[in-house]
């Protein structure tokens, strides 16, 4: 369970960023499978925290990639693997309704706030990308397997006593 703290901006990936990620994973999925190879995503910087007695991963950096992977998996699960359970969740400290929207994307609500709009847009681009492919079902199965079995984030876990905002600020200043 991932937790997006208040100091993080909302989801803002553009069509190009979403399509670039899909194309990269697609290219990787077309390679001959080799057990030791994996697709490597950019860093995810996290800290283990407790919220209301529940362990969660505070996302210090990597929220945009994490959310896009979530949206890709959501599309595949909703359209190909109908009974598949979700593999992870994302909740937001200050945008609590975004978690609900992310779990049940509703076009009718996309204009309710800027976060919904960007989440919906990314999901729409993902859906369109799959629909434009020759064999959507086979491709979705391949992509799902590559993400689930052969995709890894560069995982940085910081100590619990470290100031998350300080790390976030330093990373985003370059």
């Amino acid at each position: 369970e991932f937790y997006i703290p208040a100091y993080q901006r909302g989801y803002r990936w553009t069509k190009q960023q979403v399509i670039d990620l899909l194309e990269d994973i697609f290219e990787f999925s077309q390679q001959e499978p080799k057990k030791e190879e994996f697709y490597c995503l950019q860093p995810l910087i996290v800290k283990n925290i407790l919220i209301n007695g529940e362990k969660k991963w505070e996302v210090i950096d990597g929220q945009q990639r994490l959310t896009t992977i979530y949206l890709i998996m959501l599309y595949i699960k909703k359209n190909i693997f109908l009974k598949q359970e979700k593999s992870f969740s994302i909740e937001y400290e200050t945008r609590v309704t975004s978690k609900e929207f992310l779990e049940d994307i509703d076009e009718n609500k996309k204009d309710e706030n800027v976060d919904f709009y960007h989440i919906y847009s990314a999901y729409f681009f993902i859906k369109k990308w799959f629909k434009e492919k020759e064999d959507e079902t086979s491709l979705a199965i391949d992509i799902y397997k590559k993400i689930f079995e052969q995709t890894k984030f560069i995982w940085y876990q910081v100590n619990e006593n470290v100031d998350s905002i300080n790390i976030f600020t330093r990373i985003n200043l370059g």
Side-chain angles (χ1 to χ4, degrees):
E1 296 196 13
F2 292 98
Y3 180 77
I4 311 300
Y7 59 81
Q8 292 267 356
R9 68 183 174 134
Y11 180 76
R12 297 295 183 271
W13 263 23
T14 65
K15 175 182 180 179
Q16 190 61 53
Q17 291 163 309
V18 171
I19 299 303
D20 286 348
L21 179 58
L22 279 165
E23 288 293 332
D24 283 349
I25 297 170
F26 172 71
E27 284 178 29
F28 182 73
S29 75
Q30 300 304 299
Q31 298 174 9
E32 276 301 311
K34 295 177 185 158
K35 189 172 182 156
E36 68 279 354
E37 285 188 340
F38 59 91
Y39 179 77
C40 189
L41 291 163
Q42 293 297 314
L44 184 62
I45 301 174
V46 296
K47 180 168 91 172
N48 206 342
I49 59 170
L50 276 177
I51 297 179
N52 299 324
E54 289 184 53
K55 280 188 169 187
K56 300 193 186 258
W57 293 105
E58 176 185 350
V59 177
I60 298 169
D61 191 55
Q63 179 221 159
Q64 306 295 316
R65 287 178 296 280
L66 181 66
T67 303
T68 305
I69 290 293
Y70 181 92
L71 290 169
I72 293 168
M73 298 295 280
L74 178 70
Y75 174 78
I76 293 170
K77 288 175 184 180
K78 281 186 156 194
N79 294 281
I80 308 300
F81 299 127
L82 302 177
K83 295 182 180 180
Q84 188 71 25
E85 294 293 318
K86 66 181 181 176
S87 48
F88 63 94
S89 66
I90 302 173
E91 82 176 78
Y92 304 82
E93 180 178 7
T94 56
R95 299 178 298 278
V96 292
T97 57
S98 290
K99 178 181 181 179
E100 295 164 11
F101 186 78
L102 192 60
E103 292 175 351
D104 186 25
I105 295 174
D106 182 351
E107 181 179 8
N108 297 318
K109 294 181 178 181
K110 73 177 170 66
D111 294 322
E112 286 184 13
N113 68 52
V114 69
D115 288 331
F116 289 8
Y117 173 80
H118 287 285
I119 290 169
Y120 174 80
S121 294
Y123 188 77
F124 175 81
F125 300 140
I126 291 164
K127 179 179 180 179
K128 186 175 183 214
W129 184 86
F130 275 101
K131 295 285 185 199
E132 290 174 352
K133 299 297 179 186
E134 194 169 304
D135 184 354
E136 177 187 6
T137 302
S138 293
L139 175 62
I141 292 168
D142 287 346
I143 297 283
Y144 182 87
K145 285 178 73 176
K146 288 297 180 185
I147 290 174
F148 211 89
E149 297 171 3
Q150 289 184 283
T151 298
K152 298 180 182 185
F153 277 94
I154 298 170
W155 182 271
Y156 291 111
Q157 182 177 340
V158 300
N159 293 331
E160 294 173 24
N161 61 345
V162 171
D163 180 5
S164 302
I165 296 172
N166 185 13
I167 292 173
F168 175 80
T169 303
R170 285 186 301 160
I171 289 169
N172 287 288
L173 287 175

Short mmCIF file of all heavy atoms in Angstrom, two decimals, residues 144-171:
data_model
loop_
_atom_site.label_atom_id
_atom_site.label_comp_id
_atom_site.label_asym_id
_atom_site.label_seq_id
_atom_site.Cartn_x
_atom_site.Cartn_y
_atom_site.Cartn_z
N TYR A 144 1.13 -7.49 -19.28
CA TYR A 144 0.83 -7.81 -17.89
C TYR A 144 1.91 -8.72 -17.31
O TYR A 144 2.43 -8.47 -16.22
CB TYR A 144 -0.54 -8.49 -17.79
CG TYR A 144 -0.95 -8.81 -16.38
CD1 TYR A 144 -1.61 -7.87 -15.61
CD2 TYR A 144 -0.67 -10.05 -15.81
CE1 TYR A 144 -2.00 -8.16 -14.30
CE2 TYR A 144 -1.04 -10.34 -14.50
CZ TYR A 144 -1.70 -9.40 -13.76
OH TYR A 144 -2.06 -9.67 -12.47
N LYS A 145 2.27 -9.77 -18.04
CA LYS A 145 3.29 -10.71 -17.56
C LYS A 145 4.64 -10.00 -17.40
O LYS A 145 5.34 -10.23 -16.43
CB LYS A 145 3.41 -11.89 -18.52
CG LYS A 145 2.26 -12.87 -18.38
CD LYS A 145 2.38 -14.01 -19.36
CE LYS A 145 3.49 -14.95 -18.93
NZ LYS A 145 3.61 -16.13 -19.76
N LYS A 146 4.98 -9.14 -18.36
CA LYS A 146 6.27 -8.44 -18.27
C LYS A 146 6.28 -7.50 -17.07
O LYS A 146 7.28 -7.43 -16.35
CB LYS A 146 6.56 -7.65 -19.55
CG LYS A 146 6.92 -8.52 -20.72
CD LYS A 146 8.20 -9.31 -20.48
CE LYS A 146 8.51 -10.16 -21.68
NZ LYS A 146 9.65 -11.04 -21.52
N ILE A 147 5.19 -6.80 -16.85
CA ILE A 147 5.14 -5.89 -15.70
C ILE A 147 5.18 -6.69 -14.40
O ILE A 147 5.95 -6.39 -13.49
CB ILE A 147 3.90 -4.98 -15.75
CG1 ILE A 147 4.03 -3.97 -16.88
CG2 ILE A 147 3.70 -4.27 -14.41
CD1 ILE A 147 2.80 -3.11 -17.11
N PHE A 148 4.36 -7.72 -14.34
CA PHE A 148 4.23 -8.47 -13.08
C PHE A 148 5.45 -9.33 -12.78
O PHE A 148 5.85 -9.44 -11.63
CB PHE A 148 2.97 -9.33 -13.14
CG PHE A 148 2.35 -9.53 -11.80
CD1 PHE A 148 1.41 -8.63 -11.32
CD2 PHE A 148 2.70 -10.61 -11.00
CE1 PHE A 148 0.84 -8.81 -10.09
CE2 PHE A 148 2.13 -10.80 -9.76
CZ PHE A 148 1.20 -9.89 -9.29
N GLU A 149 6.05 -9.91 -13.80
CA GLU A 149 7.13 -10.87 -13.57
C GLU A 149 8.52 -10.34 -13.85
O GLU A 149 9.49 -10.86 -13.30
CB GLU A 149 6.89 -12.12 -14.43
CG GLU A 149 5.61 -12.86 -14.07
CD GLU A 149 5.26 -13.97 -15.04
OE1 GLU A 149 6.04 -14.22 -15.99
OE2 GLU A 149 4.18 -14.56 -14.87
N GLN A 150 8.66 -9.34 -14.73
CA GLN A 150 10.00 -8.93 -15.14
C GLN A 150 10.20 -7.41 -15.13
O GLN A 150 11.04 -6.90 -15.86
CB GLN A 150 10.30 -9.46 -16.55
CG GLN A 150 10.52 -10.96 -16.59
CD GLN A 150 10.90 -11.40 -17.97
OE1 GLN A 150 10.06 -11.50 -18.84
NE2 GLN A 150 12.20 -11.64 -18.17
N THR A 151 9.45 -6.71 -14.34
CA THR A 151 9.63 -5.27 -14.23
C THR A 151 9.97 -4.94 -12.79
O THR A 151 9.34 -5.45 -11.87
CB THR A 151 8.34 -4.51 -14.65
OG1 THR A 151 8.07 -4.82 -16.02
CG2 THR A 151 8.49 -3.02 -14.50
N LYS A 152 10.96 -4.08 -12.64
CA LYS A 152 11.39 -3.69 -11.30
C LYS A 152 11.62 -2.19 -11.25
O LYS A 152 12.12 -1.61 -12.21
CB LYS A 152 12.69 -4.40 -10.92
CG LYS A 152 12.57 -5.90 -10.86
CD LYS A 152 13.88 -6.54 -10.49
CE LYS A 152 13.73 -8.05 -10.49
NZ LYS A 152 14.93 -8.73 -10.03
N PHE A 153 11.23 -1.62 -10.15
CA PHE A 153 11.62 -0.25 -9.86
C PHE A 153 13.00 -0.29 -9.23
O PHE A 153 13.34 -1.25 -8.54
CB PHE A 153 10.67 0.38 -8.82
CG PHE A 153 9.40 0.95 -9.39
CD1 PHE A 153 8.25 0.20 -9.44
CD2 PHE A 153 9.37 2.25 -9.85
CE1 PHE A 153 7.08 0.73 -9.95
CE2 PHE A 153 8.21 2.80 -10.36
CZ PHE A 153 7.06 2.04 -10.41
N ILE A 154 13.78 0.73 -9.46
CA ILE A 154 14.98 0.90 -8.66
C ILE A 154 14.44 1.37 -7.31
O ILE A 154 13.83 2.44 -7.22
CB ILE A 154 15.94 1.95 -9.28
CG1 ILE A 154 16.41 1.47 -10.65
CG2 ILE A 154 17.12 2.21 -8.35
CD1 ILE A 154 17.16 2.51 -11.45
N TRP A 155 14.57 0.57 -6.30
CA TRP A 155 13.90 0.76 -5.01
C TRP A 155 14.88 1.34 -4.00
O TRP A 155 15.84 0.68 -3.62
CB TRP A 155 13.37 -0.59 -4.55
CG TRP A 155 12.60 -0.61 -3.27
CD1 TRP A 155 13.09 -0.76 -2.02
CD2 TRP A 155 11.18 -0.51 -3.13
NE1 TRP A 155 12.08 -0.77 -1.09
CE2 TRP A 155 10.90 -0.62 -1.76
CE3 TRP A 155 10.13 -0.34 -4.03
CZ2 TRP A 155 9.60 -0.56 -1.26
CZ3 TRP A 155 8.85 -0.29 -3.53
CH2 TRP A 155 8.59 -0.40 -2.17
N TYR A 156 14.62 2.56 -3.59
CA TYR A 156 15.40 3.18 -2.52
C TYR A 156 14.51 3.33 -1.31
O TYR A 156 13.49 4.01 -1.37
CB TYR A 156 15.91 4.57 -2.92
CG TYR A 156 16.96 4.57 -3.99
CD1 TYR A 156 16.69 5.07 -5.25
CD2 TYR A 156 18.25 4.10 -3.73
CE1 TYR A 156 17.66 5.10 -6.24
CE2 TYR A 156 19.22 4.12 -4.71
CZ TYR A 156 18.92 4.62 -5.96
OH TYR A 156 19.88 4.64 -6.93
N GLN A 157 14.89 2.68 -0.24
CA GLN A 157 14.13 2.78 1.00
C GLN A 157 14.96 3.58 1.99
O GLN A 157 16.06 3.19 2.35
CB GLN A 157 13.83 1.40 1.55
CG GLN A 157 13.01 1.42 2.81
CD GLN A 157 12.68 0.02 3.30
OE1 GLN A 157 12.74 -0.95 2.54
NE2 GLN A 157 12.31 -0.07 4.56
N VAL A 158 14.42 4.72 2.42
CA VAL A 158 15.14 5.55 3.37
C VAL A 158 14.75 5.16 4.80
O VAL A 158 13.69 4.58 5.02
CB VAL A 158 14.90 7.07 3.12
CG1 VAL A 158 15.34 7.46 1.72
CG2 VAL A 158 13.45 7.44 3.33
N ASN A 159 15.61 5.51 5.74
CA ASN A 159 15.34 5.21 7.14
C ASN A 159 14.12 5.97 7.63
O ASN A 159 13.82 7.07 7.17
CB ASN A 159 16.55 5.57 8.00
CG ASN A 159 17.73 4.68 7.71
OD1 ASN A 159 17.57 3.53 7.32
ND2 ASN A 159 18.93 5.21 7.89
N GLU A 160 13.45 5.39 8.59
CA GLU A 160 12.21 5.98 9.10
C GLU A 160 12.43 7.32 9.79
O GLU A 160 11.50 8.13 9.88
CB GLU A 160 11.52 4.99 10.03
CG GLU A 160 11.04 3.76 9.28
CD GLU A 160 10.49 2.67 10.18
OE1 GLU A 160 10.05 2.98 11.31
OE2 GLU A 160 10.50 1.51 9.74
N ASN A 161 13.63 7.60 10.28
CA ASN A 161 13.88 8.86 10.97
C ASN A 161 14.32 9.99 10.03
O ASN A 161 14.56 11.10 10.46
CB ASN A 161 14.95 8.66 12.07
CG ASN A 161 16.28 8.19 11.50
OD1 ASN A 161 16.35 7.76 10.35
ND2 ASN A 161 17.31 8.27 12.30
N VAL A 162 14.40 9.72 8.74
CA VAL A 162 14.82 10.71 7.76
C VAL A 162 13.65 11.63 7.41
O VAL A 162 12.51 11.19 7.31
CB VAL A 162 15.35 10.00 6.48
CG1 VAL A 162 15.60 10.98 5.36
CG2 VAL A 162 16.61 9.22 6.81
N ASP A 163 13.95 12.92 7.22
CA ASP A 163 12.93 13.91 6.85
C ASP A 163 12.59 13.76 5.37
O ASP A 163 13.38 14.10 4.49
CB ASP A 163 13.46 15.32 7.15
CG ASP A 163 12.47 16.41 6.80
OD1 ASP A 163 11.31 16.10 6.42
OD2 ASP A 163 12.84 17.60 6.90
N SER A 164 11.40 13.27 5.08
CA SER A 164 10.96 13.02 3.71
C SER A 164 10.92 14.27 2.86
O SER A 164 11.31 14.26 1.69
CB SER A 164 9.57 12.37 3.71
OG SER A 164 9.57 11.17 4.43
N ILE A 165 10.44 15.37 3.44
CA ILE A 165 10.33 16.62 2.67
C ILE A 165 11.72 17.11 2.27
O ILE A 165 11.91 17.60 1.15
CB ILE A 165 9.56 17.69 3.47
CG1 ILE A 165 8.11 17.21 3.68
CG2 ILE A 165 9.59 19.03 2.76
CD1 ILE A 165 7.29 18.08 4.60
N ASN A 166 12.68 16.96 3.14
CA ASN A 166 14.05 17.34 2.82
C ASN A 166 14.57 16.53 1.62
O ASN A 166 15.17 17.09 0.69
CB ASN A 166 14.95 17.16 4.04
CG ASN A 166 16.36 17.64 3.81
OD1 ASN A 166 16.66 18.33 2.85
ND2 ASN A 166 17.25 17.27 4.72
N ILE A 167 14.35 15.23 1.62
CA ILE A 167 14.79 14.38 0.51
C ILE A 167 14.06 14.78 -0.77
O ILE A 167 14.66 14.95 -1.83
CB ILE A 167 14.56 12.89 0.83
CG1 ILE A 167 15.49 12.45 1.94
CG2 ILE A 167 14.77 12.03 -0.41
CD1 ILE A 167 15.22 11.05 2.44
N PHE A 168 12.74 14.93 -0.68
CA PHE A 168 11.93 15.32 -1.84
C PHE A 168 12.44 16.62 -2.44
O PHE A 168 12.61 16.75 -3.65
CB PHE A 168 10.46 15.45 -1.43
CG PHE A 168 9.57 15.95 -2.52
CD1 PHE A 168 9.11 15.09 -3.50
CD2 PHE A 168 9.16 17.28 -2.57
CE1 PHE A 168 8.28 15.55 -4.50
CE2 PHE A 168 8.36 17.75 -3.57
CZ PHE A 168 7.89 16.88 -4.55
N THR A 169 12.71 17.60 -1.59
CA THR A 169 13.18 18.91 -2.05
C THR A 169 14.53 18.80 -2.74
O THR A 169 14.72 19.34 -3.83
CB THR A 169 13.26 19.89 -0.86
OG1 THR A 169 11.96 19.97 -0.26
CG2 THR A 169 13.69 21.27 -1.33
N ARG A 170 15.44 18.07 -2.13
CA ARG A 170 16.78 17.91 -2.73
C ARG A 170 16.70 17.20 -4.08
O ARG A 170 17.37 17.60 -5.03
CB ARG A 170 17.71 17.17 -1.78
CG ARG A 170 18.18 18.03 -0.63
CD ARG A 170 19.21 17.34 0.21
NE ARG A 170 18.64 16.10 0.74
CZ ARG A 170 19.33 15.08 1.19
NH1 ARG A 170 20.63 15.10 1.18
NH2 ARG A 170 18.73 14.01 1.66
N ILE A 171 15.90 16.17 -4.18
CA ILE A 171 15.77 15.42 -5.44
C ILE A 171 15.18 16.31 -6.53
O ILE A 171 15.64 16.31 -7.66
CB ILE A 171 14.90 14.17 -5.25
CG1 ILE A 171 15.65 13.14 -4.42
CG2 ILE A 171 14.46 13.58 -6.58
CD1 ILE A 171 14.78 12.00 -3.96
#
